[in-house]
Amino acid sequence: MTQQLAALSADGVNLGTRELLFYQSYTKLLDMSPLSKVKAHLSGGYVSAIKGRGMEFDEARHYQAGDDIRAIDWRVTARTGKTHTKIYREERERPVFILCDASNSMKFGTQLFLKSVQAAHFASLLGWTAVNRGDKLGAILFNDNDHIEIKPKSRKKAALALFHGLTSVHSQASTSAAETSANKENVFEQSLMRLRRLAKPGSLVYILSDFEQLNETCSKYISDIHRHCEVHAIDIFDPIEITLPASAKGRRLSLKSAFSSETVTLGSAASHNAYSKERAKKQQRLDSLLMPYVNQYLPISAGEFLLDQIKTHSGIPK
């Protein structure tokens, strides 16, 4: 584990550019091919319904006045005795948008990384993959204090803008629980509203969050985006959020973050039952408010290295 962290130039808590640059060599692990038919005429997953000059052959039809004679299909013409023209599907770039959560609840981790660091690593892998495919890359990155909006750009400068934004929102100090409560603004909700405006039809959208702030308004915004875009939900979680560690009865475990603290009694049936009920409530919320409006749901643990998990989900041996 220490060697892998060293290879990443990471410590699991702070976020630096070098660990984000690391993922440039692993873009083949992700498949960004569209899962469904393109929903927009002028943007989409490389093969649009618009016919014209391009790389992929679509059909041969009878020659019409004004057709380019260079596109005549001589084999079909010879076979049928009538002049036919080759028609191609035009290839078009597809904008990729990343919504990355670095709010208070993401600044938590018990084993390897903070959830916010793991989310940034996944965002980096997505960014490099999009750039290598020739897609335009845009993002909305947010914490409890601020948000950064990156309009779609192409080539390496898009990835560098993403990395600068990720390190910026992650490095800002967390607000206290009292300040967050006083503000009463759901930053996840506000960021989804911005994403709904920014993501054009046909875009590929990735939402990286622990979805702790997911509510009915958030669900509506995700539904609106899903009508015209392909949406992937990446649920970043810490292992202790799934189940409490086994321990001798009565042992007390203190959980602390930059803005709150809590004590859990391990080995207690009552504590474990209460913990399980809270987890079940979150799953019910995801099932009703998120799952119907995403094309893919992918849980990612902050307690394991990202590439190992991607390989597992892809069926690639580690």
Side-chain angles (χ1 to χ4, degrees), residues 137-211:
L137 175 64
I140 292 180
L141 318 170
F142 68 95
N143 54 32
D144 288 276
N145 306 313
D146 199 8
H147 81 281
I148 295 176
E149 184 175 304
I150 302 173
K151 293 189 177 178
K153 301 176 183 178
S154 58
R155 301 182 181 179
K156 194 173 182 178
K157 64 182 180 182
L160 296 178
L162 173 66
F163 302 159
H164 177 74
L166 288 170
T167 55
S168 178
V169 296
H170 186 274
S171 64
Q172 289 185 17
S174 300
T175 56
S176 67
E179 289 174 321
T180 302
S181 177
N183 189 22
K184 293 183 179 179
E185 182 180 87
N186 185 316
V187 291
F188 185 46
E189 181 182 306
Q190 295 297 316
S191 296
L192 284 169
M193 181 176 65
R194 294 184 178 98
L195 179 63
R196 183 181 61 171
R197 169 181 52 79
L198 193 62
K200 303 301 182 185
S203 299
L204 175 58
V205 174
Y206 285 87
I207 302 174
L208 284 66
S209 177
D210 58 7
F211 297 97

Side-chain angles (χ1 to χ4, degrees), residues 23-144:
Y23 292 96
Q24 185 176 11
S25 303
Y26 296 94
T27 57
K28 291 184 179 179
L29 293 179
L30 283 185
D31 183 8
M32 283 189 169
S33 301
L35 298 178
S36 57
K37 186 177 179 181
V38 177
K39 298 180 181 180
H41 291 294
L42 295 179
S43 15
Y46 300 93
V47 181
S48 76
I50 299 176
K51 298 175 183 178
R53 294 291 297 174
M55 296 300 293
E56 183 164 331
F57 173 75
D58 183 59
E59 65 179 357
R61 61 161 171 78
H62 289 295
Y63 177 85
Q64 297 176 2
D67 284 348
D68 190 339
I69 60 173
R70 294 174 296 180
I72 291 176
D73 191 327
W74 296 107
R75 290 185 179 180
V76 177
T77 298
R79 187 172 66 249
T80 62
K82 296 182 179 180
T83 306
H84 280 72
T85 301
K86 292 179 180 179
I87 301 298
Y88 299 85
R89 287 185 182 269
E90 287 195 23
E91 297 181 354
R92 299 182 182 273
E93 65 185 12
R94 173 180 55 175
V96 175
F97 287 93
I98 298 172
L99 180 76
C100 192
D101 185 351
S103 61
N104 279 350
S105 63
M106 294 288 286
K107 302 290 181 66
F108 178 77
T110 61
Q111 294 189 18
L112 188 60
F113 298 110
L114 295 183
K115 291 188 289 183
S116 56
V117 172
Q118 186 73 299
H121 285 192
F122 202 110
S124 172
L125 181 58
L126 290 170
W128 282 123
T129 304
V131 168
N132 286 352
R133 286 170 61 92
D135 291 330
K136 285 189 175 181
L137 175 64
I140 292 180
L141 318 170
F142 68 95
N143 54 32
D144 288 276

